[in-house]
C-alpha cells in the first residue's frame, strides 16, 4: 500500500539490553528501516488519559470548542509549552484558531499567516507523513552515504529538516517542535503545531498515540463541519424565503435590504453591518465612520 509505514515497538536488537522502536517502509525499490532507542512503554494511566480525551470530544461546543479541547489534550500528552490548532483557509493562508499554552508563553491565538509561510511542497508532505518531530532545532543533520544515492525520504521519521525552516524556528526562540496533520475528507484541513522553548524528545510510541488521537479528532471534526455547513445552508434558505416573502416591489431595493439588516447581521459574526448602494448607506451595530467605509 502506498505511504504505508509498519511500526514495531519495544524490540530487542543487536543482542543487548536496549529496546528499540522500528519503522519500516518502501521508498521506490528501496526498503527503509529506521531504529530509535525505545523509551518506557506507555503506562495504562497514560492510555486511559488518551481514551478520556477522545471521549471528551462530544462534550465540546462547536468546531472552535472541539479544537480548543483537542489542543489541551495534546498539550497534556506531550508537555510542550504551546500547542496550536492551525487552520488552512481556501487561499492556503493559515490562522491559529485554538491554543493551549503555559502561562509564561506568548499567545499566538488569532494570528494569520500567508500561504507562503507553509509552501505547497511542505503541505504535500504533511498529507503523506502525519507527524513530524524536531527534537532539537540546533542539531545538525547527518549526510547520506553513498552521496550518489537518490533516495526519497518523505516518509522517514529521521530525515533532516529544511535549513530555512530551522532558521525560522530559531528566530522565534523555539527549541523543539512537533506537528500532527489534521485531514478532513482526504484534504489537509490544518495542523496541531507544538512548540517548546528547549530541546524536547517524544518517544516513538507516544508520537503514534498522538497520531491516533488526531485521526479520531479528524473524524469528529468532519462530522461537526458537515453539521455546520448544513446549518449555514439552512440559514441562507431561511433568509431567502424571508426576503422573498417581505419584498415590497413598490419600494427601492435599498429600503428592502434595510428591512432585513438585523437578520443579515445575525447570520454573520460581525460587530457592524453596512449596506451601501449608489451613495446611500445604512449601518447597524458599531458605528463606522464614512472614511472607514
Amino acid at each position: 500500500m502506498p505511504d504505508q509505514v509498519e511500526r514495531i515497538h519495544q524490540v530487542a536488537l543487536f543482542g543487548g539490553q536496549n529496546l528499540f522502536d522500528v519503522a519500516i517502509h518502501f521508498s521506490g525499490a528501496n526498503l527503509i528501516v529506521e531504529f530509535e532507542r525505545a523509551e518506557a512503554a506507555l503506562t495504562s494511566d497514560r492510555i486511559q488519559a488518551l481514551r478520556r480525551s477522545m471521549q471528551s470530544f462530544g462534550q465540546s461546543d462547536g468546531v472552535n470548542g472541539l479544537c480548543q479541547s483537542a489542543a489541551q489534550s495534546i498539550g497534556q500528552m506531550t508537555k510542550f509549552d504551546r500547542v496550536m490548532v492551525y487552520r488552512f483557509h481556501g487561499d492556503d493562508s493559515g490562522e491559529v484558531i485554538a491554543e493551549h499554552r503555559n502561562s509564561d508563553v506568548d499567545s499566538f491565538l488569532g494570528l494569520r499567516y500567508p500561504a507562503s509561510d507553509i509552501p505547497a511542497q511542505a503541505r504535500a508532505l504533511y498529507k503523506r507523513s502525519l507527524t513530524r518531530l524536531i527534537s532539537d532545532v540546533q542539531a545538525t543533520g547527518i549526510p547520506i552515504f553513498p552521496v550518489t544515492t537518490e533516495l526519497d525520504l518523505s516518509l522517514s521519521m529521521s530525515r533532516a529538516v529544511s535549513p530555512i525552516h530551522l532558521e525560522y524556528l530559531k528566530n522565534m526562540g523555539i527549541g523543539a517542535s512537533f506537528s500532527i496533520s489534521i485531514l478532513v475528507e482526504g484534504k489537509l484541513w490544518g495542523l496541531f503545531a507544538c512548540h517548546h522553548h528547549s530541546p524536547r524528545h517524544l518517544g516513538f510510541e507516544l508520537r503514534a498515540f498522538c497520531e491516533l488521537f488526531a485521526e479520531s479528532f479528524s473524524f469528529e471534526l468532519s462530522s461537526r463541519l458537515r453539521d455546520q455547513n448544513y446549518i449555514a445552508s439552512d440559514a441562507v434558505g431561511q433568509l431567502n424565503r424571508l426576503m422573498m416573502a417581505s419584498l415590497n416591489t413598490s419600494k427601492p431595493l435599498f429600503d428592502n435590504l434595510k428591512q432585513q439588516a438585523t437578520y443579515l447581521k445575525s447570520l454573520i459574526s460581525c460587530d457592524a453591518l453596512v449596506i451601501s448602494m449608489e451613495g446611500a448607506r445604512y449601518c447597524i451595530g458599531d458605528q463606522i465612520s464614512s472614511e472607514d467605509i
Side-chain angles (χ1 to χ4, degrees):
M1 182 180 294
D3 291 353
Q4 185 70 35
V5 179
E6 185 68 27
R7 298 163 177 169
I8 310 171
H9 300 290
Q10 304 285 325
V11 182
L13 298 173
F14 313 121
Q17 297 295 319
N18 293 323
L19 298 179
F20 292 83
D21 293 325
V22 184
I24 307 170
H25 73 276
F26 279 100
S27 177
N30 298 298
L31 180 66
I32 309 297
V33 183
E34 299 176 89
F35 305 91
E36 182 176 308
R37 183 74 61 85
E39 297 187 358
L42 294 183
T43 63
S44 59
D45 289 344
R46 202 86 175 260
I47 296 172
Q48 287 295 331
L50 174 65
R51 184 176 291 112
R52 287 194 298 270
S53 296
M54 293 178 178
Q55 292 171 344
S56 70
F57 289 159
Q59 302 169 7
S60 56
D61 184 23
V63 170
N64 284 353
L66 175 67
C67 291
Q68 184 60 48
S69 174
Q72 181 175 348
S73 295
I74 292 289
Q76 291 170 346
M77 282 189 281
T78 64
K79 308 302 182 184
F80 267 67
D81 291 334
R82 180 193 298 112
V83 177
M84 299 167 286
V85 177
Y86 183 99
R87 178 178 183 174
F88 290 107
H89 292 284
D91 60 356
D92 291 331
S93 64
E95 179 183 4
V96 179
I97 64 169
E99 179 183 62
H100 175 74
R101 61 188 175 89
N102 293 340
S103 59
D104 58 345
V105 174
D106 292 339
S107 175
F108 287 178
L109 185 62
L111 294 186
R112 297 286 297 267
Y113 297 87
S116 58
D117 191 60
I118 302 180
Q121 183 180 12
R123 291 195 297 272
L125 283 174
Y126 281 126
K127 284 185 63 177
R128 296 185 63 195
S129 183
L130 300 184
T131 60
R132 184 72 166 124
L133 174 67
I134 305 174
S135 299
D136 185 355
V137 302
Q138 302 292 340
T140 56
I142 299 172
I144 296 174
F145 295 99
V147 294
T148 56
T149 301
E150 292 186 4
L151 195 60
D152 180 0
L153 294 177
S154 298
L155 300 181
S156 171
M157 65 181 181
S158 55
R159 63 181 166 85
V161 184
S162 161
I164 296 175
H165 184 57
L166 288 177
E167 191 64 29
Y168 179 82
L169 293 174
K170 291 175 184 176
N171 290 338
M172 294 173 62
I174 302 303
S177 77
F178 179 49
S179 65
I180 316 168
S181 302
I182 302 171
L183 301 182
V184 173
E185 297 180 355
K187 297 181 179 180
L188 185 64
W189 185 88
L191 300 168
F192 290 107
C194 311
H195 289 162
H196 206 66
H197 286 82
S198 60
R200 178 160 183 77
H201 182 73
L202 299 180
F204 193 20
E205 194 170 3
L206 178 56
R207 301 199 308 269
F209 266 81
C210 288
E211 184 175 324
L212 174 63
F213 175 86
E215 289 175 352
S216 298
F217 167 80
S218 295
F219 182 79
E220 179 67 25
L221 176 63
S222 297
S223 176
R224 299 286 181 96
L225 290 171
R226 284 193 296 269
D227 291 344
Q228 188 179 71
N229 290 338
Y230 174 81
I231 292 171
S233 298
D234 187 55
V236 170
Q238 289 184 34
L239 174 62
N240 180 59
R241 291 189 292 272
L242 178 65
M243 294 185 72
M244 291 301 100
S246 61
L247 184 65
N248 187 338
T249 56
S250 66
K251 292 184 177 181
L253 177 60
F254 182 77
D255 291 340
N256 277 281
L257 289 174
K258 281 173 58 178
Q259 290 181 352
Q260 308 302 332
T262 301
Y263 189 70
L264 278 167
K265 185 176 181 298
S266 71
L267 291 178
I268 305 168
S269 178
C270 63
D271 297 315
L273 175 80
V274 178
I275 299 172
S276 179
M277 182 178 293
E278 298 178 349
R281 290 173 181 153
Y282 177 71
C283 178
I284 63 170
D286 292 354
Q287 292 301 306
I288 304 175
S289 67
S290 297
E291 291 79 8
D292 287 337
I293 294 174

